[in-house]
Amino acid sequence: FSLNLAVDCNAVLKALQPIFQEQGMTETVHNWEDQGYLVTYIKKNGSFANLRIHPHGLVLVDLQSYNDHMKGREEVDQLLNKVEEKMQELFHGNIKRVKRLPAILRGGVIDRYWPTADGRLVEYDIDEVVYDEDSPFQNIKILHSKQFGNILILSGDVNLAESDLAYTQAIMGSGKEDYTGKEVLILGGGDGGILYEIVKLKPKMVTMVASNIDQMVIDGCKKHMRKTCGDVLDNLKGECYQVLIEDCIPVLKRYAKEGRMFDYVINDLTAVPISTSPEEDSTWEFLRLILDLSMKVLKQDGKYFTQ
């Protein structure tokens, strides 16, 4: 509850106490002279609530319980409804905002919460663990979502879902590029999505350096992400493509030394590299190195695409 005015912490406590006492909860009160109250309520079944009353006008209620059935969730909702009704009665029109968050489910068999690269937390409708293996380099998960299909997750970093064709199209130039007869180098892209889409466009040759150096990623994707990769990962060589399970840095250096040039370089490396050593200590230095090496193998009129 965000209020429009400073609050009498003791008055708020006295108003809300009966709601928790009706549940048979044991109360413990902590208070500070200028920082308000922290009140804990503990039930015999192990459920507990924290009531935090800030004098500047913020009241927080956190409730934690073990509920694996609908009745338990209804009891939680009823308690929170009573708290909200009492607060509305106590402060009338002085409540600026009420925000009730849905329950966060902890300790489930399937983890539904995954952070984004920029630090946000997303809850997915994941209902099945399709693949979960540890390679020498990383943990590889493929989870099924009702909304997004199978999702590839590498060491906690959400990489790609079967529904992410828009991402693949965007990093290829959003349909504005003519790949016919062109030499293309893909850095990363172990899910096979870019390779599968470019092969359809009749290039001369596509070389994909699956820089995760991890055959297990390809094995998992070719079995469980076929809506993304089709059949291109079934063999590491095709009529107009080859897949190298190597570190992309030595490959780029070798191509630069040999004078091999490409019409397109597409950088689809993971957001955070498995390791930047022994080349550089800094992730930014690693990314700069990739960019510099890519420019050395790009034709004068070539194009470089990245995330």
Side-chain angles (χ1 to χ4, degrees):
F1 302 88
S2 181
L3 309 176
N4 289 320
L5 72 172
V7 300
D8 180 339
C9 297
N10 191 52
V12 174
L13 175 58
K14 287 186 179 299
L16 298 181
Q17 272 177 330
I19 297 173
F20 297 99
Q21 290 170 350
E22 287 171 6
Q23 301 292 318
M25 291 177 139
T26 302
E27 178 187 81
T28 304
V29 180
H30 307 269
N31 69 296
W32 302 270
E33 188 172 332
D34 56 351
Q35 296 296 323
Y37 284 60
L38 169 63
V39 190
T40 60
Y41 292 95
I42 301 175
K43 205 170 184 177
K44 289 182 178 179
N45 65 1
S47 301
F48 65 91
N50 291 325
L51 171 62
R52 184 68 170 95
I53 309 169
H54 295 272
H56 68 272
L58 182 65
V59 179
L60 306 175
V61 180
D62 295 310
L63 184 60
Q64 188 170 128
S65 61
Y66 179 76
N67 290 319
D68 57 356
H69 52 81
M70 188 60 67
K71 183 181 178 182
R73 282 180 286 227
E74 289 174 353
E75 290 174 354
V76 169
D77 282 338
Q78 289 171 5
L79 188 149
L80 294 177
N81 287 340
K82 289 180 180 180
V83 170
E84 190 168 333
E85 290 169 5
K86 180 57 69 174
M87 288 291 290
Q88 295 285 2
E89 177 186 319
L90 191 62
F91 291 100
H92 305 292
N94 288 314
I95 297 180
K96 181 165 53 179
R97 186 162 62 96
V98 178
K99 181 68 174 180
R100 188 189 296 191
L101 300 175
I104 294 176
L105 308 177
R106 297 177 174 178
V109 176
I110 299 175
D111 191 356
R112 303 170 60 178
Y113 305 94
W114 295 92
T116 61
D118 59 350
R120 292 174 291 117
L121 186 65
V122 177
E123 178 179 3
Y124 294 92
D125 58 345
I126 291 168
D127 59 3
E128 182 184 358
V129 177
V130 176
Y131 182 87
D132 188 356
E133 297 289 342
D134 289 312
S135 78
F137 306 99
Q138 59 198 325
N139 174 259
I140 306 161
K141 284 186 175 66
I142 298 177
L143 309 178
H144 179 263
S145 156
K146 295 176 184 177
Q147 182 178 6
F148 300 113
N150 286 348
I151 304 173
L152 173 65
I153 300 174
L154 301 178
S155 293
D157 180 32
V158 178
N159 275 235
L160 194 81
E162 289 180 314
S163 61
D164 285 333
L165 179 59
Y167 168 86
T168 301
Q169 292 172 333
I171 202 171
M172 289 171 54
S174 300
K176 299 176 183 178
E177 303 299 321
D178 181 8
Y179 287 93
T180 306
K182 300 297 175 62
E183 291 268 3
V184 182
L185 176 63
I186 302 171
L187 306 178
D191 51 75
I194 297 172
L195 178 61
Y196 180 52
E197 296 302 321
I198 287 187
V199 164
K200 297 176 186 177
L201 303 177
K202 309 300 181 185
K204 180 180 179 181
M205 175 57 69
V206 183
T207 301
M208 185 176 98
V209 186
S211 63
N212 42 50
I213 331 169
D214 203 336
Q215 179 71 46
M216 288 180 66
V217 173
I218 290 178
D219 291 342
C221 288
K222 73 181 181 183
K223 183 174 182 180
H224 301 293
M225 300 280 290
R226 293 190 77 83
K227 289 182 181 178
T228 296
C229 65
D231 60 358
V232 294
L233 297 181
D234 291 353
N235 298 291
L236 297 183
K237 284 189 177 182
E239 185 178 337
C240 63
Y241 72 88
Q242 61 175 340
V243 178
L244 306 179
I245 312 297
E246 300 181 46
D247 186 341
C248 68
I249 292 175
V251 173
L252 284 167
K253 289 181 176 179
R254 183 170 75 243
Y255 285 168
K257 186 175 181 180
E258 294 170 354
R260 185 170 177 187
M261 306 296 282
F262 295 87
D263 298 289
Y264 291 91
V265 176
I266 301 177
N267 180 353
D268 190 37
L269 296 170
T270 54
V272 180
I274 295 173
S275 173
T276 61
S277 62
E279 299 294 337
E280 301 289 348
D281 294 327
S282 163
T283 298
W284 285 111
E285 290 300 323
F286 172 81
L287 297 175
R288 184 181 291 111
L289 175 64
I290 294 294
L291 180 59
D292 289 344
L293 289 172
S294 296
M295 293 303 104
K296 291 179 179 178
V297 300
L298 191 65
K299 292 180 181 180
Q300 189 68 31
D301 60 347
K303 293 186 178 182
Y304 175 85
F305 290 144
T306 189
Q307 299 159 336

